[in-house]
Amino acid sequence: SYREYAKQFKEVEGVLEVYPEIGLTALAAGKKMRTGAQIRALDKNIFTDNKAFRELFTIIEGHIADYQDPKSAVIGQKMAEAIYM
């Protein structure tokens, strides 16, 4: 599994933590338009376990606890404005 593979990198000297991800390209469609989107599937605990990662984002709507739901998603503000607003 990709998680087992990622654990190997944690054994490398100097590596503090490893967070595997799965990425793919998709179509994001909303009320106003469609656009390409890069989807990055990450462990559901990334926002709670990794303070540095969490600080990369500003939550405009919702709450950090919402991302424990496997059907939740984080999208960029500009994309949200383009396809939904």
Side-chain angles (χ1 to χ4, degrees), residues 28-35 79-85:
K31 295 176 185 177
K32 293 175 67 176
M33 64 176 285
R34 317 181 270 252
T35 188
M79 180 182 286
E81 290 169 353
I83 66 175
Y84 291 111
M85 307 290 175

Side-chain angles (χ1 to χ4, degrees), residues 28-56:
K31 295 176 185 177
K32 293 175 67 176
M33 64 176 285
R34 317 181 270 252
T35 188
Q38 181 66 30
I39 297 175
R40 298 171 61 197
L42 301 164
D43 188 82
K44 67 181 180 178
N45 298 321
I46 190 83
F47 287 101
T48 55
D49 293 352
N50 186 320
K51 181 181 177 186
F53 186 86
R54 182 175 59 242
E55 290 176 354
L56 294 172

Side-chain angles (χ1 to χ4, degrees), residues 62-75:
H63 187 270
I64 199 76
D66 295 340
Y67 306 120
Q68 296 298 314
D69 180 347
K71 294 182 180 181
S72 65
V74 176
I75 65 172

Side-chain angles (χ1 to χ4, degrees), residues 7-49:
K7 285 181 185 178
Q8 296 175 21
F9 292 100
K10 197 168 181 180
E11 297 173 9
V12 175
E13 185 178 335
V15 174
L16 301 177
E17 193 59 65
V18 176
Y19 295 96
E21 71 176 58
I22 298 173
L24 58 103
T25 303
L27 176 68
K31 295 176 185 177
K32 293 175 67 176
M33 64 176 285
R34 317 181 270 252
T35 188
Q38 181 66 30
I39 297 175
R40 298 171 61 197
L42 301 164
D43 188 82
K44 67 181 180 178
N45 298 321
I46 190 83
F47 287 101
T48 55
D49 293 352

